[in-house]
Amino acid sequence: MTGNELREAYLRFFAEKKGHLRMPSFSLIPENDPTLLLIGAGMAPLKPFFTGKMKPPRTRIATCQRCVRTGDIENVGRTARHQTYFEMLGNFSFGDYFKEKAIPWAWEFLTEVVELPKEKLLVTSYPKDDEAAEIWRRQPGFDPSHIVKLDDNFWEIGPGPCGPDSEIYIDLGEERGCGEPTCAVGCDCDRYLEIWNLVFTQYDRTEEGEYKPLANKNIDTGCGLERLASVVQGKRTNFETDLLYPIIEYAASVSGVSYGADPQKDVSMKVIADHARSMAIMIMDGILPANEGRGYVLRRIVRRAIRHGRLLGITQNFLTGAVDAVVRIYEGASDFSALVERQDYIKKVIRLEEERFQSTLSQGMEMLDQHIAELEASGKKELSGAFAFKLYDTYGFPWELTEEIVHEKGITLNKADFDAAMKEQRERARAARQENQRVDVPDLRGIDVSALRQDDSAVRAKVVGIWHDGRLVQELTDGEEAGIILDVTSFYAEGGGQVGDIGLLSSELGRIRVSNAKKLPDGTVYHIAYVEEGMIRVGDSVDIAIDRAKKLASARNHTATHLLQAALKRVVGEQVNQAGSLVTPERLRFDFSNFEPVSPQQLEDVEELVNEVILRGQDVKIEQMKQDEAKKRGAMALFGEKYGDIVRVVSVPGFSMELCGGNHVANAGQIGMFKIVSETGVAAGVRRIEAITGQAALEFACQRMRSLDEAAALLKCQSADVVARLESVLAEQKTMQREIDEVRKLKEKADAKKLLMAVQTYGDVQVIGGRANVTSMEELRNMADLTCDKLENGVVVLAAVIDEKVSFVVKASKGAVTKGIHAGKIIKEMASLVGGGGGGRPEMAQAGGRIVENIPQAMEKAQEMIQSQLKQ
């Protein structure tokens, strides 16, 4: 079976034969979980269902979840199983079935569907879990002696749900083992491979360490797709399965290196295979390279792949070809259609990142080469860990590459200091994460969420829940902030890029300011509220007063965002797709895919087109229809957004049609006016337009007119003549500057003639030295050039004070250089006397300093150096 066939077989087995809801993989970007950077386990997106805080769509669910982990990225390629990206097959029960079904179904799938040999399978069990061991013994063809009791077969993370687990292993044969007589399940060698873990969540651990039985027991299982594929396909490592090996073949082809010929080269090819797959699927899920967060994880993966390409001798860009190999692997597989659809986009993002790192790599190499030269000059043999960390942190330089380069020069890298700097950075990041952590899903078990309603006309509601510091409370008093859940709300909840409504809740006992409204994954709306005075309790009735002016301003900006996207597609091209948006009452921000800046003329055309639609004053049409019907009509959908079977379609007939749940104006004319205020780049292949509408656009235009009037007054002309008047002023200024430059050149020649009158001679070398009255280093160099040109065998040493700082120039003719003069060495000694630095070539050097009063000593030092060099 191929990897794709294995995935499909698993999901069909549990969906069609065992009554599970087959769900697509969640995105790698966690939803409503600030404690996670990336999804790294099959159960991670389902956490609220396991804790009981939210009701799952079904009590039985099966998924194949995309996962990324980078905690031990340095082991990728060095072991048979370590990967950054992997897929986790999982079947889950939320208070439905338990061990009595989870164990037999796992056995059935492995032995009857996948047809693994029963005699090769072993299981581990928690010593006190007699129930699980007994169920295993009853499985047809299972050898009871293959049960291994291990104390660490108990899953828990602090207080909360926990329980014993049972791991399924396969014996791959003695030839894969370490040969030790003690070799058994749990050994670090490759003989016994864990392929599935069944977690039986049956206890609730209290803060005091007491284990209380859960009323509703859960099942959480995880089976690594790549591991299972390696067993089924008879491969020694995950990298040789059809889920990874085609990328290795590509790397071998590009590099001209044969896989299997050199263990170190094999590591690099496996790293490229793993990292290429990770980066492609991360970008597919909407992650872009960045300097922090999950974007930094992606950037690090890309750069490690480039570095391992260099170790294989690949100096050109090559990762886009690896993406093609990844796409071929997953073509036709469920959950990966977006990989094929976004193939060109993914390749463009990676190509830009690859080109950017080549530039970064060059800068880092230049800095490292200079530092190595300084170490060699001083006789030192160790590169500090702090410098290596700076290369890593600033230029993305892997420490392994730094170590390899300095080793060639006989220099060692202080890895301990590097690790200390890295540890310090990680601790800072961890502390920052802990400081910002908050539980984003309240426990809603005490609330009938199915009875909660949204009604745009609601003006009175009842408080059914108050969520404070991650737990439900009965009341809030003045000065406290919390999430408030109402039985009915007219507040728009943040979503689709639009911020939530703001307003007031008023009760008999209190006044509560609502700063935003948000929505939980199950659709429950909660209001982020601050008690300005009094108090509020669960059960209180409140009057709802939404800030209607800001709500209308947000609606203007949201409808304008739709018009902007439609206009961009018409003017810039159909390749434009939304990559993110923000709609607030004050402005709109629209991120979109495009690999070059939008030209000023295109921006002008887009703005004009949007305003034309606004002036037509068409009604905005909002309809409910089936998703397939909406797509047939050409409605645009946002990638990564989840839509139900019935969708809300917002359209300005004949111009724009999108799936959207946000607030909009009733008529396009209500937008009033649309004005683009900026267009910038925010990431590789992503541009950003910020714009304003309505009153904000009107105020912007009025401010521009006031500025224009003020400029006209200063230029003493009419507003309509400002451009022509400025052109005239700039032309006059250019003429005046040219005349000033001519006068300055005449002055430099005159000063050079004065200097020639004070020539000193050492042998047949003429030396001129003195202070010059100039205003820039360029003038000082020009004077030195003019003076030196008059000397056949001459040296010119000039000093000047420019902006209260010392400037030196030393210029030597070719004849003087042949007699031993070195301007760079002379100026280095001069600079040290004025507290500065500098250098240069034998014929030309310049330097600066800050101690003006030491100029005479520096000039004397120059005379001494010249005499000394001529005697050698």
Side-chain angles (χ1 to χ4, degrees):
M1 297 174 78
T2 66
N4 290 333
E5 288 170 345
L6 267 177
R7 183 193 306 107
E8 186 64 23
Y10 179 91
L11 293 172
R12 291 185 64 179
F13 174 80
F14 280 99
E16 297 175 8
K17 291 190 175 183
K18 307 304 177 186
H20 288 60
L21 171 65
R22 173 176 175 169
M23 292 185 71
S25 172
F26 291 82
S27 168
L28 285 168
I29 302 174
E31 186 176 351
N32 291 290
D33 192 344
T35 66
L36 293 178
L37 199 61
L38 291 159
I39 294 297
M43 62 79 65
L46 308 174
K47 264 199 299 189
F49 304 148
F50 277 107
T51 60
K53 291 180 178 181
M54 290 175 57
K55 186 179 179 181
R58 288 262 285 275
T59 55
R60 297 180 181 183
I61 289 175
T63 65
C64 183
Q65 177 61 44
R66 302 190 287 273
C67 301
V68 167
R69 294 182 192 170
T70 58
D72 48 8
I73 193 171
E74 65 278 357
N75 288 326
V76 172
R78 302 184 185 280
T79 71
R81 314 294 168 198
H82 275 96
Q83 298 155 219
T84 56
Y85 171 81
F86 60 94
E87 292 181 64
M88 188 60 74
L89 300 164
N91 55 288
F92 308 95
S93 166
F94 307 103
D96 190 317
Y97 63 85
F98 201 48
K99 300 174 192 176
E100 78 287 345
K101 287 191 172 73
I103 291 173
W105 288 348
W107 182 257
E108 181 184 347
F109 177 74
L110 290 177
T111 60
E112 295 184 21
V113 178
V114 183
E115 298 181 352
L116 297 184
K118 298 176 181 179
E119 68 277 7
K120 293 288 187 181
L121 296 174
L122 303 92
V123 301
T124 62
S125 180
Y126 185 58
K128 295 180 182 179
D129 190 4
D130 296 330
E131 180 187 7
E134 180 55 34
I135 295 172
W136 276 117
R137 292 188 187 98
R138 295 200 299 264
Q139 300 315 301
F142 179 76
D143 184 346
S145 68
H146 284 190
I147 298 176
V148 181
K149 300 282 183 99
L150 295 177
D151 288 329
D152 61 359
N153 274 117
F154 195 92
W155 184 89
E156 62 181 334
I157 306 177
C162 59
D165 65 276
S166 186
E167 299 161 328
I168 304 173
Y169 286 78
I170 187 165
D171 182 356
L172 297 175
E174 291 183 17
E175 68 278 7
R176 301 285 290 274
C178 58
E180 296 294 327
T182 56
C183 184
V185 169
C187 183
D188 289 335
C189 70
D190 288 338
R191 176 173 177 176
Y192 298 97
L193 176 67
E194 179 194 344
I195 53 177
W196 205 338
N197 188 18
L198 315 178
V199 180
F200 313 122
T201 311
Q202 63 189 83
Y203 299 112
D204 184 15
R205 179 183 165 186
T206 66
E207 295 284 354
E208 294 74 32
E210 183 181 355
Y211 295 88
K212 293 184 176 181
L214 283 171
N216 295 314
K217 298 176 175 62
N218 301 322
I219 289 292
D220 164 21
T221 81
C223 175
L225 176 63
E226 290 83 1
R227 289 189 175 209
L228 189 58
S230 73
V231 174
V232 172
Q233 296 172 16
K235 304 300 182 183
R236 292 185 68 86
T237 75
N238 295 357
F239 295 95
E240 286 149 19
T241 68
D242 67 329
L243 293 169
L244 280 161
Y245 194 67
I247 317 171
I248 289 178
E249 290 180 311
Y250 166 76
S253 170
V254 174
S255 64
V257 176
S258 298
Y259 182 72
D262 181 338
Q264 287 303 114
K265 302 287 187 186
D266 288 353
V267 168
S268 291
M269 282 189 267
K270 286 187 278 190
V271 168
I272 290 169
D274 169 82
H275 287 12
R277 198 170 64 146
S278 290
M279 67 181 77
I281 293 171
M282 288 174 79
I283 296 169
M284 180 193 81
D285 270 354
I287 299 168
L288 289 169
N291 284 328
E292 59 184 11
R294 58 183 67 93
Y296 180 72
V297 174
L298 172 58
R299 174 160 285 166
R300 183 184 177 199
I301 284 171
V302 173
R303 292 183 175 188
R304 286 192 91 246
I306 295 169
R307 183 232 163 198
H308 279 276
R310 286 207 165 191
L311 292 179
L312 292 175
I314 305 172
T315 56
Q316 74 275 24
N317 293 346
F318 70 99
L319 287 177
T320 54
V323 172
D324 291 334
V326 174
V327 172
R328 285 192 292 272
I329 291 170
Y330 290 98
E331 208 159 13
S334 60
D335 277 3
F336 291 94
S337 58
L339 188 65
V340 179
E341 293 166 4
R342 308 193 93 199
Q343 181 176 359
D344 289 341
Y345 174 72
I346 292 166
K347 289 168 67 175
K348 284 180 180 178
V349 172
I350 289 174
R351 175 176 55 78
L352 289 174
E353 182 65 14
E354 199 168 7
E355 289 171 356
R356 183 178 290 113
F357 185 50
Q358 295 292 5
S359 168
T360 304
L361 204 58
S362 300
Q363 292 173 1
M365 284 298 300
E366 186 177 334
M367 184 176 175
L368 180 57
D369 287 342
Q370 183 179 345
H371 196 69
I372 289 172
E374 291 172 2
L375 289 176
E376 289 175 333
S378 61
K380 294 180 180 177
K381 293 293 182 181
E382 182 181 83
L383 184 81
S384 73
F387 183 83
F389 182 76
K390 182 179 180 182
L391 281 177
Y392 168 81
D393 197 38
T394 306
Y395 298 103
F397 239 60
W399 70 264
E400 301 98 328
L401 183 58
T402 303
E403 185 179 52
E404 180 183 342
I405 294 167
V406 298
H407 181 72
E408 293 171 358
K409 304 289 186 179
I411 297 171
T412 60
L413 167 64
N414 190 327
K415 183 65 166 46
D417 283 356
F418 177 90
D419 290 340
M422 176 66 81
K423 183 180 179 183
E424 184 180 342
Q425 185 198 56
R426 284 175 175 164
E427 287 173 350
R428 286 197 302 270
R430 189 180 299 114
R433 281 199 305 271
Q434 290 172 348
E435 185 179 333
N436 292 323
Q437 271 186 16
R438 56 177 288 189
V439 180
D440 267 43
V441 180
D443 189 334
L444 302 182
R445 279 175 286 192
I447 298 174
D448 183 5
V449 295
S450 63
L452 304 180
R453 294 183 297 117
Q454 287 180 262
D455 182 349
D456 290 344
S457 62
V459 293
R460 192 161 179 80
K462 182 180 178 182
V463 178
V464 296
I466 301 175
W467 161 40
H468 184 59
D469 288 339
R471 58 190 178 86
L472 292 177
V473 297
Q474 288 300 305
E475 65 178 38
L476 286 177
T477 57
D478 103 293
E480 291 184 314
E481 185 178 37
I484 293 178
I485 299 172
L486 304 175
D487 65 339
V488 60
T489 182
S490 50
F491 280 82
Y492 172 77
E494 182 178 296
Q498 181 176 336
V499 298
D501 286 336
I502 65 173
L504 286 173
L505 301 178
S506 303
S507 70
E508 290 182 346
L509 299 174
R511 174 186 170 92
I512 300 92
R513 176 75 58 184
V514 175
S515 60
N516 201 357
K518 294 191 175 187
K519 191 177 287 187
L520 295 172
D522 66 351
T524 301
V525 174
Y526 65 96
H527 311 75
I528 298 175
Y530 175 80
V531 182
E532 291 187 334
E533 57 184 33
M535 63 181 299
I536 189 169
R537 294 172 176 163
V538 173
D540 284 356
S541 292
V542 293
D543 292 326
I544 299 172
I546 293 175
D547 189 325
R548 294 290 169 183
K550 289 193 179 297
K551 187 180 184 79
L552 179 56
S554 289
R556 287 191 182 102
N557 286 334
H558 202 153
T559 305
T561 303
H562 285 212
L563 300 181
L564 171 60
Q565 178 168 210
L568 282 167
K569 281 182 172 289
R570 283 169 167 79
V571 174
V572 179
E574 283 296 326
Q575 78 277 6
V576 167
N577 283 302
Q578 183 172 346
S581 68
L582 175 67
V583 175
T584 72
E586 295 75 28
R587 63 192 173 96
L588 67 91
R589 188 180 76 202
F590 185 71
D591 294 348
F592 57 98
S593 56
N594 203 51
F595 287 87
E596 58 186 11
V598 181
S599 72
Q601 183 59 54
Q602 287 176 319
L603 288 174
E604 188 176 320
D605 292 345
V606 166
E607 190 177 276
E608 183 178 341
L609 187 54
V610 171
N611 280 308
E612 282 178 8
V613 176
I614 292 169
L615 288 172
R616 286 205 294 264
Q618 288 178 273
D619 285 342
V620 176
K621 192 174 181 181
I622 298 177
E623 303 171 274
Q624 303 279 346
M625 65 182 72
K626 288 187 176 180
Q627 187 178 153
D628 291 343
E629 174 64 21
K631 288 183 177 178
K632 282 180 186 176
R633 291 196 193 180
M636 286 187 285
L638 179 61
F639 175 78
E641 193 75 19
K642 293 182 175 65
Y643 300 101
D645 290 336
I646 302 298
V647 295
R648 184 171 183 261
V649 180
V650 178
S651 61
V652 176
F655 191 77
S656 166
M657 181 183 289
E658 292 190 34
L659 306 186
C660 182
N663 279 340
H664 290 274
V665 294
N667 183 287
Q670 288 179 279
I671 298 171
M673 178 181 179
F674 173 81
K675 180 64 186 174
I676 294 173
V677 295
S678 69
E679 192 275 346
T680 56
V682 293
V686 179
R687 308 297 301 177
R688 171 174 292 171
I689 283 178
E690 297 200 34
I692 50 180
T693 65
Q695 186 65 32
L698 181 60
E699 290 174 359
F700 181 87
C702 290
Q703 179 57 49
R704 285 292 178 94
M705 284 302 300
R706 283 194 292 271
S707 297
L708 182 62
D709 290 343
E710 289 171 8
L714 290 171
L715 291 167
K716 295 181 173 57
C717 68
Q718 297 297 315
S719 298
D721 300 327
V722 164
V723 174
R725 181 73 180 117
L726 272 175
E727 288 175 345
S728 174
V729 169
L730 290 173
E732 289 174 14
Q733 184 186 32
K734 190 174 182 180
T735 301
M736 290 174 63
Q737 186 62 51
R738 194 161 48 242
E739 291 173 356
I740 290 169
D741 290 341
E742 290 297 327
V743 171
R744 184 178 290 121
K745 287 177 183 177
L746 291 172
K747 181 178 178 297
E748 287 171 3
K749 289 179 179 179
D751 288 342
K753 286 180 180 178
K754 288 181 184 176
L755 288 170
L756 286 170
M757 296 171 67
V759 178
Q760 289 182 292
T761 303
Y762 300 102
D764 57 352
V765 174
Q766 297 171 307
V767 179
I768 294 175
R771 289 181 65 161
N773 184 21
V774 294
T775 59
S776 69
M777 177 60 84
E778 183 182 2
E779 287 183 44
L780 192 64
R781 285 195 301 268
N782 288 341
M783 186 177 293
D785 288 340
L786 286 168
T787 307
C788 197
D789 286 345
K790 305 293 184 182
L791 306 174
E792 185 177 348
N793 292 321
V795 182
V796 178
V797 182
L798 297 182
V801 178
I802 303 169
D803 295 330
E804 299 181 358
K805 293 180 182 178
V806 179
S807 293
F808 290 134
V809 170
V810 177
K811 182 72 186 288
S813 66
K814 289 182 180 179
V817 171
T818 60
K819 295 181 182 297
I821 294 298
H822 193 297
K825 292 179 181 179
I826 295 170
I827 211 154
K828 188 174 181 180
E829 294 294 326
M830 294 175 70
S832 67
L833 294 174
V834 294
R841 305 182 304 276
E843 70 277 7
M844 174 67 179
Q846 66 183 49
R850 62 183 185 280
I851 308 174
V852 175
E853 57 268 25
N854 284 1
I855 290 178
Q857 294 97 306
M859 296 298 285
E860 289 178 10
K861 186 66 176 178
Q863 296 287 344
E864 293 174 11
M865 288 287 295
I866 291 168
Q867 293 179 57
S868 174
Q869 288 179 355
L870 291 172
K871 289 178 181 178
Q872 292 177 359

